[in-house]
Amino acid sequence: MTTRSGQGNAPADPGLEAIMSERRQLMNIAYRLLGSLAEAEDAVQETYTRWYTMSPQQRDAVESPGAWLTTVTSRICLNLLGSARARRETYVGEWLPEPLPDRTEWATGRPGGTTADPADRVTLDESVNLAFLVVLESMTPAERVAFILHDVFCHSFAEVAEIVGRTPAACRQLASSARRRIRASRPSATPAAERAGTIRDFKQAWEAQDIDALIGLLDPHATAIADGGGLAATFLHPIEGSERIAYAWMEIARRRPGDMALLERTVNGQPGLVAVQAGATVTVFAFDVAGDRITRIWVVRNPEKLRRWTTARVSHRWRNAAPDARS
């Protein structure tokens, strides 16, 4: 493999460009496996570190660098998933996946940062909405890896088996078990435009402190879950039932600071809401909607999970109530 020339006007190393072009795919895999963009970045960085610690002869001997990078990233994620379970046992309150903004609202997540490298962005599709990611959290690490790699990224079970360390038949069973979990969660098929309308009505009822309207917009068996990570005040246990959630949201409305704005935003490719104070996003609300009722609300307040959210614009609205959900 050649190296980049030290001359400023020399052409880029085609080998290096080919390797780095895999970064976005690796980020997409790692985020879906881990539910955390920060951890996904670390996993991908570790993958590239391992690639470049090999000798040039070892790298040249790799038949498919892309496949090698995918295998290593997936194995790193598999190991991280195992340790993450232990870490989350000591997490303060509920743990939720890190929410992602719309592609036009992407920030680096680093102090002073504005726009991230496109290779760091995650493609927002149905396999990355919060409802889907929350179901993935209920799976074993091996189930999650087998399902994501096979069903989402179309890798063969033979390839998955090499990563997971099981037989192709066992990996097929893992993916089948994961599919059953997805089906049991009854993911919403409500079109984005209808979701947006329901969430907008919820926002208006919330701001008007109209408790009857809030109750009417919530499924009787709705659930609300919040993640503050011990770093931001929020309710520690899930709230169940439309009336209990409505009363909780009325209390939030009464305590809301006067300089806080509630804005419509795209959250993981779906209509959602964000709360902005002093130019910073302090809360992200994601929803699942069935028909014209909200069935689940996820509230992310942990500031470590909100670094990707840029300063909000008060006039922003969903594009035609059905945003482009792909990066």
Side-chain angles (χ1 to χ4, degrees), residues 142-156:
E143 281 179 331
R144 189 165 181 165
V145 171
F147 175 77
I148 291 295
L149 290 181
H150 180 268
D151 285 43
V152 178
F153 291 96
C154 302
H155 289 275
S156 70

Side-chain angles (χ1 to χ4, degrees), residues 208-223:
Q209 298 188 37
D210 185 341
I211 191 165
D212 291 332
L214 285 175
I215 293 173
L217 289 164
L218 291 160
D219 183 88
H221 304 291
T223 302

Side-chain angles (χ1 to χ4, degrees), residues 12-238:
D13 174 6
L16 176 61
E17 290 186 350
I19 289 298
M20 295 311 295
S21 69
E22 298 288 337
R23 180 176 175 82
R24 183 166 184 173
Q25 176 77 345
L26 300 178
M27 286 292 297
N28 273 283
I29 291 172
Y31 174 71
R32 285 162 175 78
L33 289 178
L34 299 172
S36 164
L37 200 58
E39 291 183 356
E41 288 176 330
D42 289 343
V44 173
Q45 183 61 39
E46 174 62 21
T47 299
Y48 279 107
T49 298
R50 294 185 187 185
W51 173 262
Y52 283 108
T53 55
M54 293 193 299
S55 68
Q57 294 77 18
Q58 288 173 318
R59 293 197 295 268
D60 286 339
V62 175
E63 183 177 346
S64 173
W68 187 94
L69 293 167
T70 296
T71 296
V72 172
T73 296
S74 300
R75 285 175 176 167
I76 291 172
C77 291
L78 183 61
N79 291 334
L80 287 173
L81 284 171
S83 60
R85 288 187 165 232
R87 292 198 308 273
R88 289 169 192 170
E89 288 179 0
T90 61
Y91 193 83
V92 178
E94 299 288 328
W95 188 96
L96 290 173
E98 178 182 346
L100 299 182
D102 180 73
R103 60 192 175 123
T104 61
E105 300 287 333
W106 196 273
T108 64
R110 301 179 182 87
T114 53
T115 303
D117 187 313
D120 289 329
R121 297 179 185 171
V122 174
T123 301
L124 302 180
D125 60 21
E126 65 278 0
S127 71
V128 80
N129 68 56
L130 260 291
F132 188 90
L133 292 175
V134 168
V135 177
L136 292 180
E137 285 297 313
S138 69
M139 300 178 186
T140 68
E143 281 179 331
R144 189 165 181 165
V145 171
F147 175 77
I148 291 295
L149 290 181
H150 180 268
D151 285 43
V152 178
F153 291 96
C154 302
H155 289 275
S156 70
F157 283 120
E159 294 170 318
V160 175
E162 182 181 352
I163 293 168
V164 177
R166 305 194 187 189
T167 66
C171 291
R172 188 184 299 275
Q173 289 299 315
L174 288 170
S176 177
S177 174
R179 276 184 228 111
R180 287 195 294 271
R181 291 176 185 266
I182 294 291
R183 286 195 295 267
S185 71
R186 296 186 298 276
S188 172
T190 304
E194 293 182 23
R195 288 175 180 239
T198 298
I199 295 166
R200 183 173 293 118
D201 290 344
F202 182 86
K203 171 181 178 288
Q204 292 171 351
W206 185 11
E207 291 178 323
Q209 298 188 37
D210 185 341
I211 191 165
D212 291 332
L214 285 175
I215 293 173
L217 289 164
L218 291 160
D219 183 88
H221 304 291
T223 302
I225 298 174
D227 177 350
L231 302 174
T234 191
F235 51 95
L236 293 177
H237 305 289

Side-chain angles (χ1 to χ4, degrees), residues 31 37 98-107 121-124 265-270 274 281 284 305-310 324-325 327:
Y31 174 71
L37 200 58
E98 178 182 346
L100 299 182
D102 180 73
R103 60 192 175 123
T104 61
E105 300 287 333
W106 196 273
R121 297 179 185 171
V122 174
T123 301
L124 302 180
R265 282 290 187 271
T266 297
V267 181
N268 285 61
Q270 298 293 332
V274 302
T281 297
V284 170
K305 297 183 179 182
L306 300 179
R307 294 174 180 172
R308 299 287 159 178
W309 295 79
T310 62
D324 178 2
S327 291

